[in-house]
Amino acid sequence: MAHEALAIQTENLGRVYTIKAIKKGEAKQRVALNDVNLEVGRGEFFGLLGPNGAGKTTLIKILTTLLAPTHGRATVAGYDVARQAAQVRPLINMVSGGESSGYGLLTVRENLWMFGQFYGLDSKSTYRRVDALLEIVGLSDRAHTKTSDLSTGLRQKMNIVRGFLTDPQIIFLDEPTLGLDVGASREVRSFVRNWVDERPDRTLLLTTHYMAEAEELCQRVAIINAGKVLACDSPANLKRRLQREAIFRLDVSPLRNGALSTFETLPGVRKFVHTPQDGKSELDLILAEDGAIASVVTTLTSHGAQILNLQKREPTLEDVFVDLVGLSMEQAAAS
Amino acid sequence: MLQTFNRSFRTAAWLGWQVESNWTDPLLFFAFSVLKPVSSVLILVFMYHAVAGAGSDAPIYAYIFLGNAFYIYVGAVMAGTSYAILDDRERYRTLKYLYIAPIAMPMYLLGRAVARFVVGTLAVVITLLVGIFFLNVPVNLLTVDWPLFGLTLALGIICLSFMGLALGAWTLTIRNEPWFLGDAVAASLYLFSGAIFPITLLPGWLQPLAYGLPVTYWLELLRRATLGPNAAAFPTFAAWSNGQLLAALTGLTLAFGLLAALAFRFFDRLARERGLIDAQSNF
Amino acid sequence: MSIVDRQLPTENRQLPAAPRQVIHGWRYFLRTVWARAYPRIIGQQREPAWVFFETFLPFLATVGYVYVYRAMEAPEEFVGFAVMGGAMTAFWLNVMWSMATQLYWDKEQGNLPLYIMSPASLMAILLGMALGGMLATSLRAAIILVLGTWLFQVPFAISNYLQLFAVFLLTMTALYGLGMLFGSLFLLFGRNAWQISQMMQEPIYFISGFYFPIETFGFAVALAAAILPLTLGMDAMRQLTFANGPALGFLSVEIEIGILLLLAVGFVSAAKLALDRMEWRARYEGTLSDRRK
Ligand SMILES: Nc1ncnc2c1ncn2[C@@H]1O[C@H](COP(=O)(O)OP(=O)(O)O)[C@@H](O)[C@H]1O
Ligand SMILES: [Mg+2]
């Protein structure tokens, strides 16, 4: 491996999918990644935050040599992922959430052994490491269970062990907590954090659409939407962009449709997100300054809305996303 | 009561037809209704040629050919009905909804069987036509005893649907890899019903089993109806008149009808008790 | 009073250092082959019901064909042909159901991307799949052969053990090479692969002469059928194991060995090419490693 090289580097990276038309006619093209420029240093814990369909998995597939870029280039550990896949592969591993791996007939331990073999590990030390990793993620008592008998959560834990088994220089985690319950997600995050803390030279790239996850774990985060990287910095710096703005959470009685349009013309309202809830409306507001809240409240009451709760809060990465895209992550995923 | 039955039968037959005829690819349809059955009959034809040279006038030739051709119905109707249950449970995952819908389950399955029968008929007809026109099978369409043929065919198909119903209900109680059951039963009956060789060739202790199977009498009658006097050249049932064979087939059909009703109730209860109506086998 | 402590461990305790990777050389290649063969061999031990049915059904067919020959009053060799054919169907079934459709299943289950991403050679993984399947199937074929021979008193008269061994080995290589080739091709057919396997079964039994000598076809058809490895493989095996075999043979055993050798080399190379092509497509079109189709 080229030692000084960055762990991951992309230059104007792009990927266009060609979707074959089912009926006769022209094939459609879908731009999944557009002009992505990223640099991830060795030892960094890097996050990719974006809604569903943003292009996160596409980027991971390209970096793990599973997919060729259609534009630009990408290197992992200094090697070109398209042309030098053979050099890249021994150094990396990947875990995707919501996917299982291995064969249902094999036990957890056997499946992990099998994958270890594909990475040229000798059997004895593979088993030792498998057992230790299973112990850490709390799966030791299932080591001899057939994987087909595991619950989704446990299968995902096994999948995570598979990814870390080979002690990769660079590991890619594609929404590793997808579909896990709160407790299991916490355990996974804690495992990953400890792993990074104990190995300062290992690089980790994590994608997620849970902003709390990115905020909690990552040293730097790139915010991605519709194939484009919109910002890339540490969570603290990203939030500092909203330092001068004031962020409010307002709960009001259910709003009628017309009420929202008047907001757009209110002075001082930069962005707002309306989330209808059971029996109330939730409003997240990014305001140019504190004072603007007064006219918001006035407008709301003039529309007959009742204020249930008003709270000023610290910016989150979600607010950064709203500020950049103009939509909440949920709304961006739906569109 | 009768109305529910009637309605569910018609709905089921319609639904069954939609499912069974939903071949998106005409090539696949061709393969399953022509390529497979014709190939398996060709294996037998060439086995015969390898032994006997070019001649095809020995009575065993027509015996084997017709037995194999009509046996297609056993796979289509009997095994087909048991597959239908699994298809609904595993592939379409609709069985549980059918169960709670106001249609009588056995009627629904018989409806599927009718659809299978129609598709199977295509394969049988094509196989027979290939045999008559290209492979010297001595069937003369003008001398076929059509009334006997029609009556036998109808009785046999009813009987096969009953068997399929019983088998289907049984399959329902098997959790893992239940697909084999239909195949295994169809393949076993192939040996014990005189489809491709006279049952007198079987070891003596297995022969009573053959005499207990309706398919044995059914195939014998179909051969007699299509071949006329040539069929009698084979000695298995030489002493039996058509009337006696028909009586045996009718009796066994009734018996299997009763068996199917009992089996369905038994396995159905078992499947509900074990929560297998919406089970998924793992691969 | 009860205390709930939700504190998570702050370290991953002592994780043994990563084992050293050796990703070069033939030992690594064999390691990969064995690792992928393992599920195949262990799998059948865990699902005895499968073994039963996969032995039982071909055996029933065999019995049927034996009786058909008896009904035709055929010479006893033919009974042997039927038994041998029945045993060999086990291999064909294994190739179609567990080789040809396997990469497709691996894709559906999410294993294929993991295989492609690993430093292991895909060819080694495919080879392991083949070897494991072959070993596991040999057991089934042997049961059918032994049971059939015992029940029907098949009169074996093996004339040349060395040639027989060579024929069997070459036939298996060519057959599983074909299976490996199908594996990549079927991946492109997607969902239809299952149906293609299903519909090819009887036509192949017929055209390959599983149950009768292929010289019955006449020269031209038999030669065309020889593209399928089992056609000549079984013809040569019939010639080598039955007294009357050579009289019913298609070509001389030496020529058949020659052709089988060509087929073996041809199919294994074609499998390699198809595999590279498949990986290339997977990476460029982005459709094959994707589960949503
Ligand atoms: N194989 C494919 N063929 C066509 N379009 C695809 C394919 N994979 C992903 N896409 C599209 O590319 C975009 C990005 O997808 P993806 O990378 O999976 O996003 P994410 O992982 O952020 O949810 C989406 O619009 C998705 O529909
Ligand atoms: Mg994704």
Side-chain angles (χ1 to χ4, degrees):
Chain A
M1 174 170 27
H3 253 286
E4 330 69 73
L6 287 165
I8 299 165
Q9 185 173 25
T10 71
E11 290 166 23
N12 309 327
L13 189 67
R15 171 74 211 193
V16 176
Y17 288 110
T18 307
I19 304 162
K20 281 196 196 107
I22 298 168
K23 289 183 195 144
K24 270 183 199 162
E26 277 154 48
K28 271 194 204 157
Q29 303 235 307
R30 171 169 290 150
V31 181
L33 279 183
N34 189 0
D35 225 3
V36 171
N37 290 286
L38 286 176
E39 289 190 350
V40 179
R42 308 184 106 261
E44 214 176 336
F45 194 143
F46 191 86
L48 209 54
L49 175 67
N52 279 327
K56 304 181 296 293
T57 300
T58 301
L59 180 58
I60 290 231
K61 278 189 185 168
I62 291 176
L63 295 176
T64 52
T65 77
L66 291 173
L67 187 68
T70 46
H71 303 278
R73 62 182 226 120
T75 61
V76 165
Y79 300 113
D80 188 308
V81 291
R83 285 179 291 107
Q84 294 174 295
Q87 279 87 333
V88 174
R89 287 172 182 171
L91 307 172
I92 61 166
N93 215 324
M94 170 184 71
V95 177
S96 340
E99 292 210 356
S100 57
S101 52
Y103 297 99
L105 275 175
L106 295 189
T107 64
V108 171
R109 206 162 177 262
E110 287 169 333
N111 265 318
L112 292 168
W113 166 82
M114 180 182 81
F115 282 105
Q117 297 296 286
F118 295 158
Y119 283 77
L121 312 181
D122 70 284
S123 290
K124 228 173 103 191
S125 42
T126 304
Y127 279 131
R128 219 178 312 134
R129 214 172 136 80
V130 165
D131 292 340
L133 278 164
L134 289 177
E135 176 80 43
I136 293 171
V137 300
L139 212 57
S140 324
D141 55 333
R142 301 306 183 94
H144 298 283
T145 307
K146 277 198 270 177
T147 25
S148 58
D149 296 339
L150 291 183
S151 67
T152 320
L154 296 185
R155 221 174 287 180
Q156 175 66 352
K157 279 188 178 173
M158 174 185 112
N159 203 10
I160 285 173
V161 171
R162 178 192 54 72
F164 286 89
L165 175 64
T166 60
D167 196 12
Q169 296 290 321
I170 301 156
I171 185 158
F172 298 89
L173 304 178
D174 192 7
E175 313 217 25
T177 58
L178 193 74
L180 295 185
D181 62 39
V182 181
S185 301
R186 248 162 58 92
E187 283 170 31
V188 166
R189 283 198 295 272
S190 139
F191 169 77
V192 170
R193 190 170 342 94
N194 295 341
W195 192 82
V196 177
D197 288 348
E198 288 158 22
R199 285 168 199 71
D201 59 331
R202 298 292 194 263
T203 312
L204 211 148
L205 190 150
L206 171 124
T207 80
T208 180
H209 66 272
Y210 304 120
M211 55 101 192
E213 196 163 284
E215 204 160 337
E216 177 189 338
L217 291 172
C218 302
Q219 294 160 346
R220 275 199 311 145
V221 173
I223 292 182
I224 180 170
N225 186 48
K228 283 204 178 114
V229 171
L230 303 172
C232 177
D233 212 328
S234 67
N237 282 343
L238 284 171
K239 286 185 284 189
R240 210 160 291 148
R241 293 158 163 256
L242 296 177
Q243 203 173 28
R244 269 181 283 134
E245 280 85 350
I247 299 182
F248 287 91
R249 152 71 58 94
L250 249 171
D251 290 345
V252 295
S253 58
L255 284 178
R256 275 172 282 116
N257 287 337
L260 287 173
S261 55
T262 48
F263 275 45
E264 274 157 29
T265 52
L266 278 183
V269 177
R270 297 256 325 257
K271 296 275 161 47
F272 68 89
V273 173
H274 170 227
T275 320
Q277 300 270 354
D278 259 357
K280 64 173 184 180
S281 280
E282 240 175 53
L283 286 171
D284 287 286
L285 300 149
I286 302 179
L287 305 175
E289 33 97 28
D290 280 356
I293 193 68
S295 57
V296 171
V297 172
T298 318
T299 316
L300 281 171
T301 36
S302 75
H303 275 87
Q306 225 184 323
I307 311 272
L308 304 173
N309 188 16
L310 170 63
Q311 177 191 1
K312 185 176 180 196
R313 57 177 178 76
E314 288 300 304
T316 64
L317 287 183
E318 173 87 33
D319 300 315
V320 177
F321 186 87
V322 171
D323 188 44
L324 288 166
V325 180
L327 296 170
S328 72
M329 282 238 277
E330 209 175 312
Q331 290 163 338
S335 66
Chain B
M1 181 70 180
L2 208 65
Q3 250 181 346
T4 323
F5 263 50
N6 190 16
R7 178 156 40 100
S8 62
F9 185 73
R10 265 191 291 152
T11 317
W14 175 84
L15 202 64
W17 176 252
Q18 296 299 315
V19 175
E20 303 294 342
S21 65
N22 183 17
W23 297 85
T24 41
D25 191 345
L27 201 72
L28 281 177
F29 184 74
F30 167 80
F32 276 93
S33 46
V34 180
L35 202 58
K36 275 173 80 83
V38 171
S39 301
S40 47
V41 90
L42 280 175
I43 294 177
L44 293 165
V45 169
F46 274 78
M47 284 169 67
Y48 179 80
H49 284 315
V51 174
S56 50
D57 37 6
I60 187 71
Y61 181 68
Y63 181 99
I64 294 173
F65 192 97
L66 292 176
N68 190 69
F70 288 117
Y71 201 81
I72 292 174
Y73 277 130
V74 179
V77 178
M78 187 195 72
T81 310
S82 86
Y83 281 158
I85 284 198
L86 293 177
D87 262 357
D88 283 348
R89 186 175 84 180
E90 315 246 335
R91 193 137 65 96
Y92 306 116
R93 302 189 184 182
T94 48
L95 191 65
K96 54 184 171 214
Y97 305 117
L98 287 170
Y99 249 88
I100 56 178
I103 61 174
M105 204 55 203
M107 288 299 118
Y108 168 75
L109 288 171
L110 290 179
R112 292 284 296 260
V114 169
R116 290 266 175 178
F117 166 72
V118 174
V119 177
T121 300
L122 198 69
V124 174
V125 168
I126 289 171
T127 309
L128 287 177
L129 290 180
V130 167
I132 293 170
F133 291 110
F134 300 102
L135 300 169
N136 295 321
V137 177
V139 172
N140 185 342
L141 293 177
L142 296 176
T143 59
V144 170
D145 182 349
W146 289 109
L148 178 63
F149 182 80
L151 182 64
T152 308
L153 191 65
L155 264 176
I157 297 302
I158 293 172
C159 188
L160 287 173
S161 331
F162 287 153
M163 293 165 81
L165 196 60
L167 192 61
W170 181 15
T171 343
L172 200 54
T173 59
I174 302 174
R175 188 186 287 275
N176 280 330
E177 287 304 316
W179 302 93
F180 285 112
L181 195 63
D183 280 342
V185 173
S188 316
L189 292 190
Y190 195 51
L191 298 184
F192 298 119
S193 54
I196 46 171
F197 58 87
I199 51 180
T200 41
L201 281 177
L202 287 170
W205 56 276
L206 279 174
Q207 287 183 21
L209 180 61
Y211 285 107
L213 291 173
V215 182
T216 313
Y217 303 93
W218 182 61
L219 289 176
E220 179 69 15
L221 276 166
L222 287 175
R223 282 194 200 97
R224 287 192 186 185
T226 42
L227 290 174
N230 289 340
F234 225 83
T236 311
F237 283 110
W240 294 55
S241 71
N242 288 354
Q244 283 171 315
L245 287 170
L246 268 176
L249 179 57
T250 314
L252 284 170
T253 303
L254 290 176
F256 270 87
L258 191 67
L259 185 78
L262 293 177
F264 191 86
R265 281 180 57 174
F266 174 74
F267 287 124
D268 180 51
R269 220 188 47 216
L270 203 67
R272 284 173 201 252
E273 267 169 19
R274 298 199 190 149
L276 290 165
I277 305 298
D278 58 351
Q280 288 285 311
S281 42
N282 52 42
F283 289 94
Chain C
M1 197 183 87
S2 70
I3 296 172
V4 179
D5 184 4
R6 289 226 168 80
Q7 182 70 47
L8 289 163
T10 54
E11 58 183 48
N12 289 343
R13 273 161 275 173
Q14 299 87 6
L15 187 59
R20 207 165 61 87
Q21 283 185 23
V22 183
I23 50 160
H24 302 286
W26 59 271
R27 291 189 63 164
Y28 170 53
F29 192 86
L30 291 185
R31 198 186 273 288
T32 307
V33 171
W34 168 238
R36 184 59 190 85
Y38 180 80
R40 279 288 158 88
I41 296 165
I42 217 68
Q44 80 165 11
Q45 208 178 299
R46 303 231 164 107
E47 289 289 341
W50 292 1
V51 183
F52 174 74
F53 278 115
E54 283 175 26
T55 317
F56 181 64
L57 288 181
F59 182 70
L60 282 184
T62 310
V63 173
Y65 289 125
V66 166
Y67 278 118
V68 169
Y69 275 132
R70 292 252 160 102
M72 294 171 180
E73 288 162 5
E76 277 301 291
E77 269 93 11
F78 283 82
V79 169
F81 296 171
V83 170
M84 179 197 277
M88 297 306 277
T89 53
F91 287 106
W92 179 257
L93 288 173
N94 181 247
V95 162
M96 286 319 277
W97 293 108
S98 300
M99 288 296 297
T101 51
Q102 186 61 43
L103 284 182
Y104 174 70
W105 287 122
D106 275 331
K107 179 191 141 197
E108 289 287 294
Q109 295 178 332
N111 286 325
L112 187 63
L114 299 178
Y115 292 163
I116 294 181
M117 188 184 66
S118 84
S121 125
L122 266 184
M123 200 61 185
I125 290 178
L126 219 55
L127 223 52
M129 212 188 271
L131 210 67
M134 206 188 301
L135 286 175
T137 308
S138 296
L139 177 73
R140 277 167 247 164
I143 294 175
I144 297 173
L145 195 65
V146 169
L147 219 57
T149 306
W150 172 67
L151 275 179
F152 301 112
Q153 298 297 312
V154 176
F156 283 113
I158 296 170
S159 54
N160 187 332
Y161 280 95
L162 193 70
Q163 282 188 345
L164 185 62
F165 183 67
V167 166
F168 183 75
L169 218 62
L170 283 174
T171 307
M172 286 298 125
T173 313
L175 178 65
Y176 279 86
L178 182 69
M180 286 156 70
L181 172 63
F182 277 170
S184 302
L185 294 182
F186 276 27
L187 202 52
L188 307 174
F189 291 120
R191 245 171 242 293
N192 288 342
W194 187 86
Q195 283 156 323
I196 296 171
S197 286
Q198 169 85 359
M199 84 190 197
M200 279 181 23
Q201 204 155 297
E202 283 79 11
I204 297 287
Y205 289 169
F206 167 58
I207 206 75
S208 251
F210 270 75
Y211 298 105
F212 56 86
I214 43 156
E215 51 110 47
T216 319
F217 282 141
F219 186 80
V221 177
L223 194 67
I227 184 76
L228 294 164
L230 281 171
T231 309
L232 288 186
M234 285 194 302
D235 193 67
M237 276 154 55
R238 277 192 288 261
Q239 296 191 46
L240 290 166
T241 43
F242 297 105
N244 212 12
L248 295 164
F250 170 48
L251 302 168
S252 80
V253 171
E254 286 78 14
I255 296 180
E256 294 189 333
I257 289 181
I259 300 180
L260 282 172
L261 188 66
L262 287 180
L263 288 180
V265 173
F267 282 134
V268 174
S269 325
K272 168 81 177 131
L273 287 179
L275 197 60
D276 290 346
R277 171 80 198 159
M278 184 277 292
E279 193 189 334
W280 186 88
R281 270 189 71 156
R283 293 177 67 198
Y284 281 82
E285 291 183 5
T287 47
L288 290 180
S289 67
D290 198 56
R291 287 168 73 205
R292 82 190 97 190
K293 193 171 158 59

Coordinates of all heavy atoms in Angstrom, one line a residue, chain A residues 17-19 30-33 50-59 61 67 174-175 207 224 227, chain C residues 285-288 290 292-293, ligand 1:
Chain A
Y17 N -27.0 5.4 -13.8 CA -27.5 4.1 -14.0 C -28.4 4.1 -15.3 O -29.1 5.1 -15.5 CB -28.5 3.6 -12.9 CG -27.8 3.2 -11.6 CD1 -27.9 4.0 -10.5 CD2 -27.0 2.0 -11.6 CE1 -27.3 3.6 -9.3 CE2 -26.4 1.6 -10.4 CZ -26.5 2.5 -9.3 OH -25.9 2.1 -8.1
T18 N -28.2 3.2 -16.1 CA -29.1 3.1 -17.3 C -30.2 2.0 -17.0 O -29.9 0.9 -16.7 CB -28.3 2.6 -18.5 OG1 -27.2 3.5 -18.7 CG2 -29.2 2.7 -19.8
I19 N -31.4 2.5 -17.0 CA -32.5 1.6 -16.7 C -33.1 1.1 -18.0 O -33.6 1.9 -18.8 CB -33.5 2.2 -15.8 CG1 -32.8 2.8 -14.5 CG2 -34.6 1.3 -15.4 CD1 -33.6 3.8 -13.8
R30 N -30.5 7.4 -14.9 CA -30.7 8.0 -13.5 C -29.3 8.4 -13.0 O -28.5 7.5 -12.9 CB -31.4 7.0 -12.6 CG -31.5 7.6 -11.2 CD -32.4 6.8 -10.3 NE -33.8 7.0 -10.7 CZ -34.7 6.1 -10.5 NH1 -34.4 5.0 -10.1 NH2 -36.0 6.4 -10.9
V31 N -29.2 9.6 -12.6 CA -27.9 10.1 -12.1 C -28.0 9.7 -10.6 O -28.8 10.3 -9.8 CB -27.7 11.6 -12.3 CG1 -26.4 12.0 -11.7 CG2 -27.8 11.9 -13.8
A32 N -27.1 8.8 -10.1 CA -27.1 8.5 -8.7 C -26.0 9.2 -8.0 O -26.1 9.5 -6.8 CB -26.9 7.0 -8.6
L33 N -24.9 9.6 -8.7 CA -23.9 10.3 -8.1 C -23.4 11.4 -9.1 O -23.3 11.1 -10.3 CB -22.7 9.4 -7.7 CG -22.7 8.6 -6.4 CD1 -21.4 7.9 -6.3 CD2 -23.0 9.5 -5.2
G50 N -27.3 11.2 4.5 CA -28.3 11.7 3.5 C -29.5 10.8 3.5 O -29.5 9.7 4.0
P51 N -30.6 11.3 2.9 CA -31.8 10.5 2.9 C -31.8 9.3 2.0 O -30.8 9.1 1.3 CB -32.9 11.5 2.4 CG -32.1 12.4 1.5 CD -30.7 12.6 2.1
N52 N -32.8 8.5 2.1 CA -32.9 7.3 1.2 C -32.8 7.8 -0.3 O -33.5 8.8 -0.6 CB -34.2 6.6 1.4 CG -34.1 5.6 2.6 OD1 -33.0 5.1 2.8 ND2 -35.2 5.5 3.3
G53 N -32.0 7.1 -1.1 CA -32.0 7.5 -2.5 C -30.9 8.6 -2.8 O -30.8 9.0 -3.9
A54 N -30.2 9.0 -1.8 CA -29.2 10.1 -2.0 C -28.0 9.6 -2.8 O -27.4 10.4 -3.5 CB -28.8 10.6 -0.6
G55 N -27.7 8.3 -2.8 CA -26.6 7.8 -3.5 C -25.5 7.3 -2.6 O -24.4 6.9 -3.1
K56 N -25.8 7.1 -1.3 CA -24.8 6.6 -0.4 C -24.3 5.2 -0.8 O -23.2 4.9 -0.8 CB -25.4 6.5 1.0 CG -26.0 7.9 1.5 CD -26.5 7.8 2.9 CE -27.7 6.9 3.1 NZ -28.9 7.3 2.4
T57 N -25.3 4.3 -1.0 CA -24.9 2.9 -1.3 C -24.2 2.8 -2.6 O -23.2 2.1 -2.8 CB -26.2 2.0 -1.4 OG1 -26.9 2.0 -0.1 CG2 -25.9 0.6 -1.7
T58 N -24.6 3.7 -3.6 CA -23.9 3.7 -4.8 C -22.4 4.1 -4.6 O -21.5 3.4 -5.2 CB -24.5 4.7 -5.8 OG1 -25.9 4.3 -6.0 CG2 -23.8 4.8 -7.1
L59 N -22.2 5.1 -3.8 CA -20.8 5.5 -3.5 C -20.0 4.3 -2.8 O -18.9 4.0 -3.2 CB -20.8 6.7 -2.6 CG -19.4 7.3 -2.2 CD1 -18.6 7.6 -3.5 CD2 -19.5 8.5 -1.4
K61 N -20.6 1.2 -3.0 CA -20.4 0.1 -4.0 C -19.2 0.4 -4.9 O -18.4 -0.5 -5.2 CB -21.6 -0.2 -4.9 CG -22.7 -1.0 -4.2 CD -23.8 -1.3 -5.2 CE -24.9 -2.1 -4.6 NZ -26.1 -2.2 -5.5
L67 N -18.9 -1.7 -8.1 CA -19.5 -1.0 -9.2 C -18.5 0.0 -9.8 O -17.7 0.5 -9.1 CB -20.7 -0.2 -8.5 CG -21.6 0.6 -9.4 CD1 -22.5 -0.4 -10.2 CD2 -22.5 1.5 -8.6
D174 N -22.5 0.4 5.6 CA -23.7 1.0 4.9 C -24.9 0.8 5.7 O -25.5 -0.2 5.7 CB -23.8 0.4 3.5 CG -24.8 1.1 2.6 OD1 -25.2 2.2 3.0 OD2 -25.1 0.6 1.5
E175 N -25.3 1.9 6.4 CA -26.5 1.9 7.3 C -26.5 0.6 8.2 O -27.4 -0.2 8.1 CB -27.8 1.9 6.5 CG -27.7 3.0 5.4 CD -29.0 3.7 5.2 OE1 -29.8 3.8 6.1 OE2 -29.2 4.3 4.1
T207 N -22.3 5.2 6.3 CA -23.4 5.9 5.8 C -24.6 5.7 6.7 O -24.7 4.7 7.3 CB -23.8 5.4 4.4 OG1 -24.6 4.3 4.5 CG2 -22.6 5.2 3.5
I224 N -25.1 14.5 1.9 CA -25.3 14.1 0.5 C -26.8 14.1 0.2 O -27.6 13.6 1.0 CB -24.6 12.8 0.1 CG1 -24.8 12.4 -1.3 CG2 -25.1 11.7 1.0 CD1 -23.9 11.2 -1.7
G227 N -27.4 12.7 -5.0 CA -26.2 12.4 -5.7 C -25.1 13.4 -5.6 O -24.0 13.3 -6.1
Chain C
E285 N -22.7 -2.3 -15.4 CA -24.1 -2.0 -15.5 C -24.8 -1.8 -14.2 O -25.9 -1.3 -14.1 CB -24.8 -3.1 -16.3 CG -24.4 -3.1 -17.8 CD -25.1 -4.1 -18.6 OE1 -26.0 -4.8 -18.1 OE2 -24.7 -4.2 -19.8
G286 N -24.2 -2.3 -13.1 CA -24.7 -2.1 -11.8 C -26.0 -2.8 -11.6 O -26.8 -2.5 -10.7
T287 N -26.3 -3.9 -12.3 CA -27.5 -4.5 -12.2 C -27.4 -5.9 -11.4 O -28.3 -6.3 -10.8 CB -28.2 -4.8 -13.5 OG1 -27.2 -5.4 -14.4 CG2 -28.7 -3.6 -14.1
L288 N -26.2 -6.4 -11.5 CA -26.1 -7.8 -11.1 C -25.8 -8.0 -9.6 O -26.3 -8.9 -9.0 CB -25.0 -8.6 -11.9 CG -25.4 -8.8 -13.3 CD1 -24.4 -9.5 -14.1 CD2 -26.7 -9.6 -13.4
D290 N -27.1 -6.1 -7.5 CA -28.1 -5.4 -6.9 C -29.3 -6.3 -6.7 O -29.7 -7.1 -7.6 CB -28.6 -4.3 -7.9 CG -29.4 -3.2 -7.1 OD1 -28.8 -2.7 -6.1 OD2 -30.5 -3.0 -7.5
R292 N -32.4 -5.5 -6.0 CA -33.8 -5.1 -6.4 C -34.1 -5.4 -7.9 O -35.1 -5.1 -8.4 CB -34.0 -3.6 -6.0 CG -33.4 -2.7 -7.0 CD -33.5 -1.3 -6.5 NE -32.2 -0.9 -6.0 CZ -31.9 0.2 -5.2 NH1 -32.9 1.0 -4.9 NH2 -30.7 0.4 -4.8
K293 N -33.1 -6.0 -8.6 CA -33.3 -6.5 -9.9 C -33.3 -5.3 -11.0 O -33.9 -4.3 -10.8 CB -34.6 -7.2 -10.1 CG -34.7 -8.0 -11.4 CD -35.8 -8.9 -11.4 CE -36.3 -9.3 -12.8 NZ -35.3 -9.9 -13.6
Ligands
LIG1 N1 -29.0 -0.8 -9.9 C1 -29.7 0.4 -10.0 N2 -30.3 0.6 -11.2 C2 -30.9 1.8 -11.3 N3 -31.0 2.8 -10.4 C3 -30.4 2.5 -9.2 C4 -29.7 1.3 -9.0 N4 -29.2 1.4 -7.7 C5 -29.6 2.6 -7.2 N5 -30.3 3.3 -8.1 C6 -30.9 4.6 -7.9 O1 -29.8 5.5 -7.6 C7 -30.2 6.4 -6.6 C8 -29.2 6.3 -5.4 O2 -29.5 5.0 -4.8 P1 -28.6 4.5 -3.6 O3 -27.2 4.7 -3.9 O4 -29.0 3.1 -3.3 O5 -29.1 5.5 -2.4 P2 -29.0 5.4 -0.8 O6 -28.1 4.3 -0.5 O7 -28.4 6.7 -0.4 O8 -30.3 5.2 -0.3 C9 -31.6 6.1 -6.3 O9 -32.4 7.0 -7.0 C10 -31.8 4.7 -6.7 O10 -33.1 4.5 -7.1

